[in-house]
Amino acid sequence: NDEMLALTWDDVDWDNKTIAITKKLEYRKDDQAGIWAVDYPKKNHANRILPLTNDALEVLKKLRELNEESKYVVCNEKGGLVRRSTVSHTLKNVFKTVGIECKKCTTMDYLTDYIVNKLLDSGLKTETVAYYLGLADTRGIEKYLDKRDKIAAIEHCKAVND
């Protein structure tokens, strides 16, 4: 979420069909007030270049047409930074509309879970998925693998009992 909100059009390489993840949005508290600002990741594994599918490129082209004046890929109506809570609130409403309720997790957790599972289902290695997510190693992916194994076991038991 924080990396997506910090993306600028300079991060998109249209010719090579890639996007560079090199910064993130963060909330900086200064005395009583706080501001949202773009910062650079402290850890090298957070910096990465990701391939873009043709579908993703089409979405980006449409976003670019909508936000011609903004340097940010995702921006508010004035072309500025979007707050993390705005995205979470919007995702929650979208999920609710399509019948998905996230009672035990945040909407970003649910979305990440979905993305990880789609990447794993496509045959990508856990190391590649970890890289795509900006993780230092595959330990962060293990919880998804454990969850997949539990779901598979439940489905197997249901099939045997039917």
Side-chain angles (χ1 to χ4, degrees):
N1 198 13
D2 294 333
E3 294 168 330
M4 172 191 68
L5 296 175
L7 287 173
T8 60
W9 291 112
D10 293 340
D11 297 322
V12 180
D13 183 339
W14 300 99
D15 295 330
N16 292 313
K17 298 182 179 182
T18 60
I19 193 162
I21 310 296
T22 59
K23 52 195 172 295
K24 64 181 180 166
L25 186 67
E26 83 173 16
Y27 189 74
R28 295 184 185 156
K29 198 154 186 158
D30 184 25
D31 293 330
Q32 298 294 330
I35 59 165
W36 288 99
V38 174
D39 195 10
Y40 297 90
K42 312 279 188 281
K43 299 177 181 167
N44 284 337
H45 64 266
N47 293 315
R48 56 212 188 275
I49 296 180
L50 303 177
L52 292 170
T53 64
N54 289 332
D55 289 341
L57 284 167
E58 286 303 313
V59 169
L60 287 170
K61 284 178 187 174
K62 289 178 184 175
L63 277 175
R64 185 70 178 139
E65 290 170 12
L66 291 171
N67 306 322
E68 286 182 26
E69 303 299 317
S70 178
K71 71 177 187 175
Y72 296 105
V73 174
V74 177
C75 63
N76 61 25
E77 56 277 349
K78 294 180 182 177
L81 291 170
V82 174
R83 294 187 329 198
R84 180 185 318 148
S85 58
T86 303
V87 174
S88 295
H89 179 74
T90 302
L91 275 176
K92 188 174 184 175
N93 286 336
V94 169
F95 285 178
K96 187 176 180 180
T97 300
V98 297
I100 299 170
E101 286 193 54
C102 302
K103 293 182 180 180
K104 295 183 180 180
C105 65
T106 68
T107 53
M108 283 310 295
D109 289 338
Y110 185 88
L111 191 56
T112 303
D113 182 70
Y114 177 81
I115 291 167
V116 167
N117 280 292
K118 283 293 189 185
L119 292 172
L120 292 170
D121 288 346
S122 74
L124 289 178
K125 294 180 181 179
T126 55
E127 294 83 7
T128 304
V129 175
Y131 171 78
Y132 282 1
L133 295 179
L135 302 174
D137 54 45
T138 59
R139 287 179 289 174
I141 303 299
E142 290 172 8
K143 68 179 180 180
Y144 298 103
L145 295 172
D146 290 343
K147 186 176 179 182
R148 287 165 64 94
D149 289 342
K150 288 176 187 172
I151 291 170
I154 291 168
E155 293 302 318
H156 175 73
C157 288
K158 284 181 183 177
V160 169
N161 290 326
D162 284 346

